[in-house]
Amino acid sequence: MKTLFFLTLSLQLGILFWNSHGIAAQKTPTLRLDEYLTEVKTKNSGIKSSLMISEEKMLRKSEGSLLLAPTAFASAKLTTDAKTPPMSFFPFDSITTNTYSLGVSKLTTFGLQTKLHYDLFTLSYNNALLPVGFASLSSNYASASPVLELTQSLWSNGFGRSTRANQDLLEAQTLASSYAASFQAKASLSLAEINYWRLAVARQVVSIQKEGLDRAKKIYEWNARRARLHLGDESDVLQADALVKTRELDLVSAQNEVRSASRAFNTSRNVDSEEVTEKLPEPDSTNLASIPIPQRTALRDDVKAAQQTSIASSAATQISLEQGKPTLDLTATASLNGQQGAFAFGSLSQSIPASFSLNRPSFSVSILLSSPIDFTTTQRSQEGLKHERIAAELNYEQKLFEQEQSWKDLNETLRESKQRLALAGKIESIQKSKLEHEQERLSHGRTTTYQVLLFEQDYLLAQFGRIRG
């Protein structure tokens, strides 16, 4: 008896164990829209690439400011020359010269190029034979000079027109790429959201088609039974059979749509399968009717990209126009000079301190003029760039117009959809009340089962109309 008791208890516990695991296995997780979109963002390589490009370009939008950033420069030149000059006061084997320069350069938005540098220069006569009586002369020479150079462009790039255009060009090109990539990512996410609701609706349609098929089979069976009892006509049986076949075809089409929607659903999240194991929430007509109008933004990302492309094209045209103009640069140089040697003993260590005195200043002013002479080619190139600029501006204007029309269409479509949804809901409510009333009549023997099934079919079609609406 004890053995039988324990066997019975073990069997009951085993059944309870498997039932509990079976119930747990039947609980399919519900995938919310925000969770699905998060998964799409993390798994879809195209979206990740677009977002990274957008972020990378946005980080580089200030590259144009590097054109105006201070630049350090340095140079060194070492020379040994054994040529004999045409005239020399004393013989020597060779001349060694060393030149060093260290400084910083800065370009301004109004086209002024400023350079501040410190120059060192040494010269040595190797194995020089000084004349008798000139032993006090030095065969070495050294100079040190702080130099300030100012160069102002007056014609081509006059007062910085080309410099500012280059800044605008770099910034606009970067922003245009960033906005275009951002728009591509948003478009892909929008498509993923469409795929999400497409699958949810497709599954709901399959459920309704199955109910419709069940109703059609009941109508067929009811008519077939009446025909066997010689209470109905054979044409009613054929009509009911045709209805069953039609519902079967509709169910197959709905199931094919579910497979196609599942494939698109998984493609958005980079999954190679046409099966979706997660459960999706059914669209709720109450929530759909209360959807607010989306908040309007100033410009969409694709319009912003077109705007920046227009700016870049205008800047490129300006740069080309400036390059086709003659160059007229005015340069002013001022320097202080410390010199030792030639006719006095000295070295570089003595020249450097002397370079910060006002004893030996130097000043110079120069002007440079150059001009292209192939005017025909230059003019054709500039005309082409002008057309490109106009085309970019027209494209931006068209994008603005399309954005405005899309906003109006969105509002109108949302308003009409809410009206259709409300009307479909009323029709569904009426069909439900009609069915309930007919069922009540059937319970009192005042109507037929066939009429009730027809009303059930009307109710299902009303449900289907609400979903498709």
Side-chain angles (χ1 to χ4, degrees), residues 222-234:
W222 185 79
N223 281 279
R225 186 170 58 254
R226 282 174 56 85
R228 286 194 300 269
L229 297 174
H230 302 287
L231 299 176
D233 193 86
E234 186 66 24

PDB file of all heavy atoms in Angstrom, residues 222-234:
ATOM      1  N   TRP A 222     -25.120  23.489 -42.500  1.00  0.00           N
ATOM      2  CA  TRP A 222     -26.546  23.682 -42.227  1.00  0.00           C
ATOM      3  C   TRP A 222     -27.364  23.500 -43.517  1.00  0.00           C
ATOM      4  O   TRP A 222     -28.402  22.830 -43.521  1.00  0.00           O
ATOM      5  CB  TRP A 222     -26.758  25.072 -41.650  1.00  0.00           C
ATOM      6  CG  TRP A 222     -28.159  25.365 -41.222  1.00  0.00           C
ATOM      7  CD1 TRP A 222     -28.780  24.975 -40.078  1.00  0.00           C
ATOM      8  CD2 TRP A 222     -29.121  26.114 -41.968  1.00  0.00           C
ATOM      9  NE1 TRP A 222     -30.064  25.444 -40.041  1.00  0.00           N
ATOM     10  CE2 TRP A 222     -30.304  26.146 -41.200  1.00  0.00           C
ATOM     11  CE3 TRP A 222     -29.097  26.769 -43.208  1.00  0.00           C
ATOM     12  CZ2 TRP A 222     -31.467  26.791 -41.628  1.00  0.00           C
ATOM     13  CZ3 TRP A 222     -30.255  27.406 -43.620  1.00  0.00           C
ATOM     14  CH2 TRP A 222     -31.419  27.417 -42.847  1.00  0.00           C
ATOM     15  N   ASN A 223     -26.883  24.042 -44.625  1.00  0.00           N
ATOM     16  CA  ASN A 223     -27.586  23.893 -45.901  1.00  0.00           C
ATOM     17  C   ASN A 223     -27.516  22.461 -46.422  1.00  0.00           C
ATOM     18  O   ASN A 223     -28.486  21.946 -46.999  1.00  0.00           O
ATOM     19  CB  ASN A 223     -26.998  24.862 -46.943  1.00  0.00           C
ATOM     20  CG  ASN A 223     -27.509  26.277 -46.765  1.00  0.00           C
ATOM     21  OD1 ASN A 223     -28.605  26.621 -47.189  1.00  0.00           O
ATOM     22  ND2 ASN A 223     -26.691  27.103 -46.117  1.00  0.00           N
ATOM     23  N   ALA A 224     -26.356  21.808 -46.238  1.00  0.00           N
ATOM     24  CA  ALA A 224     -26.237  20.419 -46.685  1.00  0.00           C
ATOM     25  C   ALA A 224     -27.193  19.516 -45.905  1.00  0.00           C
ATOM     26  O   ALA A 224     -27.811  18.597 -46.485  1.00  0.00           O
ATOM     27  CB  ALA A 224     -24.791  19.952 -46.517  1.00  0.00           C
ATOM     28  N   ARG A 225     -27.297  19.758 -44.614  1.00  0.00           N
ATOM     29  CA  ARG A 225     -28.230  18.956 -43.810  1.00  0.00           C
ATOM     30  C   ARG A 225     -29.665  19.174 -44.246  1.00  0.00           C
ATOM     31  O   ARG A 225     -30.464  18.239 -44.358  1.00  0.00           O
ATOM     32  CB  ARG A 225     -28.044  19.310 -42.332  1.00  0.00           C
ATOM     33  CG  ARG A 225     -28.868  18.422 -41.387  1.00  0.00           C
ATOM     34  CD  ARG A 225     -28.483  18.631 -39.934  1.00  0.00           C
ATOM     35  NE  ARG A 225     -28.645  20.006 -39.516  1.00  0.00           N
ATOM     36  CZ  ARG A 225     -27.643  20.850 -39.308  1.00  0.00           C
ATOM     37  NH1 ARG A 225     -26.387  20.454 -39.503  1.00  0.00           N
ATOM     38  NH2 ARG A 225     -27.859  22.088 -38.917  1.00  0.00           N
ATOM     39  N   ARG A 226     -30.051  20.405 -44.521  1.00  0.00           N
ATOM     40  CA  ARG A 226     -31.402  20.696 -44.983  1.00  0.00           C
ATOM     41  C   ARG A 226     -31.664  20.042 -46.351  1.00  0.00           C
ATOM     42  O   ARG A 226     -32.758  19.549 -46.622  1.00  0.00           O
ATOM     43  CB  ARG A 226     -31.616  22.206 -45.085  1.00  0.00           C
ATOM     44  CG  ARG A 226     -31.870  22.860 -43.722  1.00  0.00           C
ATOM     45  CD  ARG A 226     -31.932  24.370 -43.869  1.00  0.00           C
ATOM     46  NE  ARG A 226     -32.947  24.777 -44.836  1.00  0.00           N
ATOM     47  CZ  ARG A 226     -34.247  24.944 -44.540  1.00  0.00           C
ATOM     48  NH1 ARG A 226     -34.693  24.729 -43.301  1.00  0.00           N
ATOM     49  NH2 ARG A 226     -35.110  25.318 -45.472  1.00  0.00           N
ATOM     50  N   ALA A 227     -30.589  20.038 -47.211  1.00  0.00           N
ATOM     51  CA  ALA A 227     -30.767  19.425 -48.536  1.00  0.00           C
ATOM     52  C   ALA A 227     -30.958  17.918 -48.410  1.00  0.00           C
ATOM     53  O   ALA A 227     -31.752  17.317 -49.157  1.00  0.00           O
ATOM     54  CB  ALA A 227     -29.574  19.743 -49.419  1.00  0.00           C
ATOM     55  N   ARG A 228     -30.196  17.283 -47.485  1.00  0.00           N
ATOM     56  CA  ARG A 228     -30.362  15.839 -47.295  1.00  0.00           C
ATOM     57  C   ARG A 228     -31.762  15.484 -46.779  1.00  0.00           C
ATOM     58  O   ARG A 228     -32.295  14.419 -47.069  1.00  0.00           O
ATOM     59  CB  ARG A 228     -29.304  15.328 -46.312  1.00  0.00           C
ATOM     60  CG  ARG A 228     -27.890  15.250 -46.904  1.00  0.00           C
ATOM     61  CD  ARG A 228     -26.982  14.441 -46.042  1.00  0.00           C
ATOM     62  NE  ARG A 228     -26.853  14.995 -44.693  1.00  0.00           N
ATOM     63  CZ  ARG A 228     -25.936  15.866 -44.320  1.00  0.00           C
ATOM     64  NH1 ARG A 228     -25.042  16.289 -45.205  1.00  0.00           N
ATOM     65  NH2 ARG A 228     -25.891  16.320 -43.091  1.00  0.00           N
ATOM     66  N   LEU A 229     -32.365  16.405 -46.022  1.00  0.00           N
ATOM     67  CA  LEU A 229     -33.714  16.184 -45.500  1.00  0.00           C
ATOM     68  C   LEU A 229     -34.787  16.689 -46.462  1.00  0.00           C
ATOM     69  O   LEU A 229     -35.979  16.706 -46.106  1.00  0.00           O
ATOM     70  CB  LEU A 229     -33.868  16.884 -44.143  1.00  0.00           C
ATOM     71  CG  LEU A 229     -32.947  16.367 -43.022  1.00  0.00           C
ATOM     72  CD1 LEU A 229     -33.080  17.222 -41.775  1.00  0.00           C
ATOM     73  CD2 LEU A 229     -33.229  14.898 -42.713  1.00  0.00           C
ATOM     74  N   HIS A 230     -34.331  17.138 -47.660  1.00  0.00           N
ATOM     75  CA  HIS A 230     -35.250  17.661 -48.672  1.00  0.00           C
ATOM     76  C   HIS A 230     -36.040  18.868 -48.139  1.00  0.00           C
ATOM     77  O   HIS A 230     -37.191  19.072 -48.493  1.00  0.00           O
ATOM     78  CB  HIS A 230     -36.241  16.567 -49.138  1.00  0.00           C
ATOM     79  CG  HIS A 230     -35.556  15.367 -49.691  1.00  0.00           C
ATOM     80  ND1 HIS A 230     -34.928  15.348 -50.913  1.00  0.00           N
ATOM     81  CD2 HIS A 230     -35.375  14.109 -49.146  1.00  0.00           C
ATOM     82  CE1 HIS A 230     -34.394  14.154 -51.124  1.00  0.00           C
ATOM     83  NE2 HIS A 230     -34.657  13.374 -50.070  1.00  0.00           N
ATOM     84  N   LEU A 231     -35.351  19.687 -47.272  1.00  0.00           N
ATOM     85  CA  LEU A 231     -35.974  20.907 -46.750  1.00  0.00           C
ATOM     86  C   LEU A 231     -35.390  22.148 -47.415  1.00  0.00           C
ATOM     87  O   LEU A 231     -35.847  23.256 -47.132  1.00  0.00           O
ATOM     88  CB  LEU A 231     -35.776  21.002 -45.232  1.00  0.00           C
ATOM     89  CG  LEU A 231     -36.398  19.866 -44.412  1.00  0.00           C
ATOM     90  CD1 LEU A 231     -36.044  20.029 -42.948  1.00  0.00           C
ATOM     91  CD2 LEU A 231     -37.914  19.846 -44.602  1.00  0.00           C
ATOM     92  N   GLY A 232     -34.370  21.975 -48.253  1.00  0.00           N
ATOM     93  CA  GLY A 232     -33.746  23.109 -48.912  1.00  0.00           C
ATOM     94  C   GLY A 232     -33.379  22.762 -50.334  1.00  0.00           C
ATOM     95  O   GLY A 232     -33.434  21.602 -50.767  1.00  0.00           O
ATOM     96  N   ASP A 233     -32.945  23.778 -51.066  1.00  0.00           N
ATOM     97  CA  ASP A 233     -32.606  23.601 -52.474  1.00  0.00           C
ATOM     98  C   ASP A 233     -31.106  23.345 -52.616  1.00  0.00           C
ATOM     99  O   ASP A 233     -30.288  23.824 -51.820  1.00  0.00           O
ATOM    100  CB  ASP A 233     -33.010  24.854 -53.262  1.00  0.00           C
ATOM    101  CG  ASP A 233     -32.976  24.596 -54.758  1.00  0.00           C
ATOM    102  OD1 ASP A 233     -33.997  24.098 -55.281  1.00  0.00           O
ATOM    103  OD2 ASP A 233     -31.927  24.870 -55.373  1.00  0.00           O
ATOM    104  N   GLU A 234     -30.726  22.594 -53.671  1.00  0.00           N
ATOM    105  CA  GLU A 234     -29.316  22.282 -53.916  1.00  0.00           C
ATOM    106  C   GLU A 234     -28.502  23.526 -54.247  1.00  0.00           C
ATOM    107  O   GLU A 234     -27.295  23.587 -53.981  1.00  0.00           O
ATOM    108  CB  GLU A 234     -29.223  21.276 -55.069  1.00  0.00           C
ATOM    109  CG  GLU A 234     -27.812  20.744 -55.336  1.00  0.00           C
ATOM    110  CD  GLU A 234     -27.293  19.890 -54.179  1.00  0.00           C
ATOM    111  OE1 GLU A 234     -28.125  19.342 -53.416  1.00  0.00           O
ATOM    112  OE2 GLU A 234     -26.051  19.787 -54.037  1.00  0.00           O
TER     113      GLU A 234
END
